[in-house]
Amino acid sequence: MNLEANKNEDALKLLVSDLKAKLATIYKGGGTKKIEKHHAKGKLTARERIEYLLDKGKPQIEIGAFAGYEMYAEHGGCPSGGVVVVMGYLKERLVIVVANDATVKAGAWFPITGKKNLRAQEIAMENHIPIIYLVDSAGVYLPMQDEIFPDKEHFGRIFRNNAVLSSKGIPQIAAIMGSCVAGGAYLPIMSDEALIVDKTGSIFLAGSYLVKAAIGEDVDNETLGGATTHCEISGVTDYKSKDDQDCLDSIKNIVDKMGDPHQAGYNRIKPQAPKKDPKEIYGLMPSDGTKTYKTQEIIDRLVDNSEFEEYKAGYGQTIITGYARIDGWAVGIVANNRQVVKSKKGEMQFGGVIYSDSADKASRFIANCNQKKIPLVFLQDVTGFMVGKRSEHGGIIKDGAKMVNTMSNSVVPKFTVIMGNSYGAGNYAMCGKAYDPRLIVAWPNSRLAVMGGSQAAKVLLQIEKGRLKAEGKEITPEVEKELLDKIEQSYEKQTKPEYAAARLWTDAIIDPLETRKWISMGIEAANQAPQERAYNPGVIQA
């Protein structure tokens, strides 16, 4: 390994180590004292409940662990958005579990909590996989109710999704393992089956204090909405459990009796490990996102047996397209080539930039994958589309639009990995979050923004200088440097993967070595959702 590779390896391993340290803190939820209080009530934490429920020794992935990261500081923070979402196996069947973390503000719903719950339901809906809710929540976080209550993508959308999931025949099971109040009470009761834990679980539209204030009635919470009330009097819930473990065992028994799902029929054979060591990715990825590298070398360490059948290898070389297998699953890969290449017209093309010919090639390849029912994997390290007179005269807007069109209308499942840069319209064309990837993840070295930091900072500096000049203020070189430094620091923070993951622009930040697992489990989930429509890319200009 050369000196540059050693530097790259050290830098990326340091980022992975930092990622794991941040996750270890996030996993503690509201902190040790809150966990101890939770245990004192005879309750498991959200993560302990999921660990007990899911099959031991089987792979699992967590969606949105960084949700809420460094957000809501004025409210005490909201680690992991106050809810844990995991895709894993239960009785050998793929499921998604949503568990309120009552150690974080008693499981109250912040705006990001609602967004994360909707993402979990979206994954269940797209892939036709059962969803299990482990409910333990004080309801909407009232100081921020205006940001979670009334809009289309707010709290109420969750109950709408309950109804839609039910209409699609996607199983929903809810366990009331703590508080379940007000509007939140509809979630478990709109599920197929509802369980409740005796003495610790309760469900009602209004608690005893509010009932007293509203109608003057004196009643305790257990009588109002405890397990005995709802299992023996109201009939609201279906199963009464003696404790958390008993409740989770009942869920296991219910799932164990489910029939087999329909299959979409994506091609899979016996998995093979890559011939080239995936750990070498650490040394191959430059620590400086502006440097070039051989994207093909990364692909060789992600695909089975390091075998890749490249499509149109000599044409549109700033995008690499081709067929491979990941953990046995057939995939079509669309990757930004970070090498500087020379086109057949003698033109030097910059790595990571999308040119007309590469957009055209990617469009045709995406269409081919749809024809052959092959899932698509986008490996992003893109700085945007090429600009300038030659590109505009060559129809870059038309070719870029064609690529966005074919990708947007794909009916095969799409998966996106942000390996490095993800800037501007390049993020869109390479299947960013707005284009419905089944899963989208980022490596710790990634950057996501409308443009690169140095370019953006210079533009923002000119805007700020104009504003100050309009106010009659003098811009000395010292003031200009101070402004630039401040802008660069702010913009740099906003481009980091933690910033994106906190807002659920990505589903997770992952160690590059986990990439194969995420794609494989994603395709397995997608394979349970039969294709609902034929591929029709609409109007595309040739």
Side-chain angles (χ1 to χ4, degrees):
M1 187 180 287
N2 59 36
L3 182 61
E4 186 69 22
N6 279 329
K7 287 181 179 179
N8 292 339
E9 181 176 358
D10 289 345
L12 188 46
K13 281 186 173 180
L14 193 62
L15 288 172
V16 170
S17 177
D18 182 57
L19 167 67
K20 290 178 179 177
K22 287 173 179 172
L23 285 170
T25 301
I26 288 169
Y27 293 160
K28 292 178 182 177
T32 304
K33 289 184 179 179
K34 292 286 181 66
I35 291 172
E36 288 172 353
K37 286 181 68 176
H38 201 72
H39 286 162
K41 297 175 184 176
K43 297 163 68 175
L44 300 174
T45 65
R47 293 183 183 279
E48 289 168 344
R49 287 165 176 167
I50 292 174
E51 182 183 8
Y52 185 91
L53 181 66
L54 294 178
D55 295 347
K56 303 294 182 289
K58 295 281 283 183
Q60 54 183 244
I61 55 178
E62 181 171 349
I63 311 296
F66 269 90
Y69 182 73
E70 293 188 341
M71 296 169 66
Y72 314 120
E74 67 277 22
H75 298 280
C78 188
S80 217
V83 63
V84 183
V85 176
V86 173
M87 185 192 294
Y89 296 87
L90 177 51
K91 294 295 181 180
E92 303 292 323
R93 181 168 185 146
L94 203 57
V95 300
I96 191 157
V97 184
V98 180
N100 298 113
D101 186 350
T103 71
V104 179
K105 289 285 192 297
W109 290 60
F110 283 69
I112 197 67
T113 316
K115 188 173 183 179
K116 187 169 174 179
N117 274 265
L118 290 172
R119 177 63 178 141
Q121 289 182 319
E122 180 182 41
I123 291 170
M125 206 177 300
E126 285 182 326
N127 299 296
H128 285 226
I129 59 175
I131 184 166
I132 297 165
Y133 309 99
L134 306 181
V135 184
D136 194 345
S137 171
V140 167
Y141 183 61
L142 287 178
M144 302 186 75
Q145 63 86 26
D146 61 318
E147 296 183 46
I148 188 172
F149 169 62
D151 210 347
K152 181 178 179 181
E153 299 299 329
H154 284 179
F155 195 61
R157 185 78 172 182
I158 291 162
F159 315 131
R160 174 265 185 194
N161 285 352
N162 285 141
V164 173
L165 283 157
S166 182
S167 74
K168 291 178 177 288
I170 300 168
Q172 297 175 88
I173 299 170
I176 302 155
M177 309 184 79
S179 297
C180 184
V181 300
Y186 288 105
L187 184 147
I189 309 312
M190 292 188 73
S191 299
D192 302 337
E193 294 178 278
L195 304 88
I196 186 168
V197 179
D198 195 22
K199 300 298 185 284
T200 56
S202 59
I203 178 170
F204 32 62
L205 293 180
S208 56
Y209 292 119
L210 186 54
V211 168
K212 175 66 175 176
I215 63 173
E217 182 179 18
D218 285 308
V219 61
D220 64 88
N221 282 340
E222 186 64 26
T223 303
L224 188 64
T228 299
T229 294
H230 286 311
C231 285
E232 299 176 18
I233 300 173
S234 72
V236 165
T237 52
D238 307 309
Y239 305 91
K240 181 179 179 181
S241 305
K242 64 181 181 181
D243 55 26
D244 279 13
Q245 289 89 341
D246 183 43
C247 181
L248 297 169
D249 285 337
S250 293
I251 294 173
K252 293 179 184 182
N253 290 333
I254 293 167
V255 172
D256 191 41
K257 311 301 186 297
M258 289 183 183
D260 291 336
H262 296 291
Q263 298 288 305
Y266 301 121
N267 185 291
R268 191 183 198 187
I269 62 174
K270 184 179 178 181
Q272 295 185 62
K275 270 188 179 177
K276 296 184 177 180
D277 188 356
K279 291 179 182 177
E280 292 173 354
I281 290 173
Y282 293 138
L284 291 167
M285 286 299 297
S287 56
D288 181 349
T290 65
K291 290 188 175 180
T292 61
Y293 62 92
K294 295 180 179 179
T295 304
Q296 183 62 59
E297 292 287 345
I298 304 295
I299 294 171
D300 290 343
R301 286 156 179 81
L302 292 177
V303 301
D304 289 16
N305 210 32
S306 300
E307 292 177 349
F308 182 71
E309 187 69 31
E310 189 168 359
Y311 172 83
K312 287 185 179 289
Y315 176 69
Q317 295 176 73
T318 64
I319 285 182
I320 297 172
T321 52
Y323 303 106
R325 290 188 182 274
I326 293 179
D327 200 36
W329 294 104
V331 296
I333 292 176
V334 181
N336 300 113
N337 186 9
R338 284 307 310 270
Q339 287 182 282
V340 176
V341 298
K342 189 174 183 179
S343 74
K344 295 302 179 184
K345 297 176 182 178
E347 172 191 5
M348 296 306 297
Q349 296 185 340
F350 299 104
V353 178
I354 302 175
Y355 290 77
S356 284
D357 54 358
S358 50
D360 173 61
K361 176 173 81 170
S363 299
R364 291 181 62 87
F365 180 72
I366 290 167
N368 273 329
C369 287
N370 276 273
Q371 290 286 79
K372 297 179 177 70
K373 205 160 75 170
I374 299 173
L376 285 158
V377 175
F378 292 84
L379 302 178
Q380 284 196 11
D381 195 343
V382 59
T383 54
F385 284 86
M386 191 58 193
V387 297
K389 184 176 75 172
R390 178 181 291 184
S391 291
E392 298 295 356
H393 289 190
I396 186 67
I397 297 174
K398 170 174 63 69
D399 290 317
K402 180 166 66 174
M403 180 177 174
V404 171
N405 191 316
T406 52
M407 181 273 300
S408 300
N409 283 299
S410 290
V411 293
V412 294
K414 299 171 289 190
F415 302 89
T416 302
V417 180
I418 304 175
M419 304 191 306
N421 303 308
S422 180
Y423 293 149
N427 167 276
Y428 298 166
M430 291 293 293
C431 197
K433 182 66 183 287
Y435 295 86
D436 299 322
R438 297 294 176 97
L439 294 170
I440 177 170
V441 296
W443 289 359
N445 57 297
S446 63
R447 290 290 184 270
L448 194 156
V450 72
M451 66 176 72
S454 60
Q455 303 98 306
K458 289 171 185 175
V459 173
L460 291 168
L461 176 64
Q462 295 306 313
I463 295 170
E464 183 64 9
K465 283 170 65 178
R467 184 184 69 80
L468 292 173
K469 284 180 180 178
E471 294 175 358
K473 295 180 180 178
E474 182 183 357
I475 310 297
T476 64
E478 291 76 19
V479 170
E480 182 170 329
K481 184 179 184 306
E482 186 180 336
L483 283 172
L484 183 60
D485 289 344
K486 185 178 178 181
I487 289 167
E488 284 181 339
Q489 288 173 13
S490 175
Y491 195 85
E492 172 69 11
K493 180 181 179 181
Q494 291 181 20
T495 65
K496 286 186 175 180
E498 293 89 347
Y499 192 90
R503 290 152 181 80
L504 291 172
W505 301 343
T506 61
D507 290 317
I509 308 169
I510 66 168
D511 183 334
L513 302 187
E514 295 184 321
T515 305
R516 282 171 54 85
K517 178 179 77 171
W518 273 78
I519 293 172
S520 177
M521 287 188 69
I523 298 175
E524 183 173 351
N527 198 41
Q528 299 189 32
Q531 191 172 300
E532 294 181 352
R533 63 182 176 88
Y535 175 60
N536 177 7
V539 177
I540 302 180
Q541 295 187 22

